[in-house]
Structure formats: structure tokens, C-alpha cells
Amino acid sequence: MATIRIPTPMRTLTGNKSEVQAAGATVGEVLRDLDARYPGMGARLFDDKGAVRRYVNVFLNDEDVRALKALDTPVKDADRITLIPAMAGG
């Protein structure tokens, strides 16, 4: 299973855990499994069309998945996925 780093604003959904594990062969499968394990996470990650919300950045081992194959990016058990919500302000 991949390890997912959870940002502070989303930790209420994971029982305040900063890292959790989820299974899947692709980034999309891992994120959907994350939602199955921690209900409500999907609403924070995906838009109505099933794409990652534009204000959520997803990294696989320090690589932005948008520069890879997005949700179709392959994942290995030892991989780390990091979720980073975009910040606004000035």
C-alpha cells in the first residue's frame, strides 16, 4: 500500500493522522481507496467530474502528478503520495 501524507486541514477526516495508507495500482485508485477508508475525503479531493480539484496538488514521490500521467500514474507499494491544498491570500 502507498503512504499518503495528509495536510492539516484534512486530518479531521483521518482521525488527526498525518499519514495513512491506501491501496491501488494508480494514483486515482489510491485516492478512491483513501475516500473509502476515510469517508468525505473524496469530496475534498475530486470535483463533480471525478478530476482532482484544481486547488489540490497531488505529488507522487515529490513529482507533481499533473506532469506525469495525472490520476493514471502508476503507484508502487513503497510510494508516497502527498496532498497539498493550494493556499490563497496576500
Side-chain angles (χ1 to χ4, degrees):
M1 279 196 251
T3 299
I4 301 131
R5 297 189 73 189
I6 307 296
T8 303
M10 294 181 185
R11 289 182 190 166
T12 56
L13 298 170
T14 62
N16 292 320
K17 294 177 185 173
S18 62
E19 290 188 348
V20 296
Q21 293 195 324
T26 65
V27 169
E29 288 178 11
V30 170
L31 295 180
R32 285 187 287 280
D33 186 52
L34 177 67
D35 182 46
R37 293 170 188 265
Y38 301 98
M41 190 65 79
R44 304 283 284 284
L45 298 175
F46 300 112
D47 64 18
D48 295 338
K49 296 178 182 177
V52 174
R53 293 185 182 277
R54 57 187 186 110
Y55 61 82
V56 177
N57 298 299
V58 180
F59 290 84
L60 176 68
N61 301 323
D62 301 323
E63 289 277 340
D64 188 335
V65 298
R66 290 180 183 122
L68 302 171
K69 295 182 180 178
L71 293 177
D72 294 327
T73 303
V75 175
K76 298 180 209 114
D77 283 345
D79 285 341
R80 177 179 299 270
I81 294 174
T82 304
L83 305 175
I84 302 176
M87 303 301 275

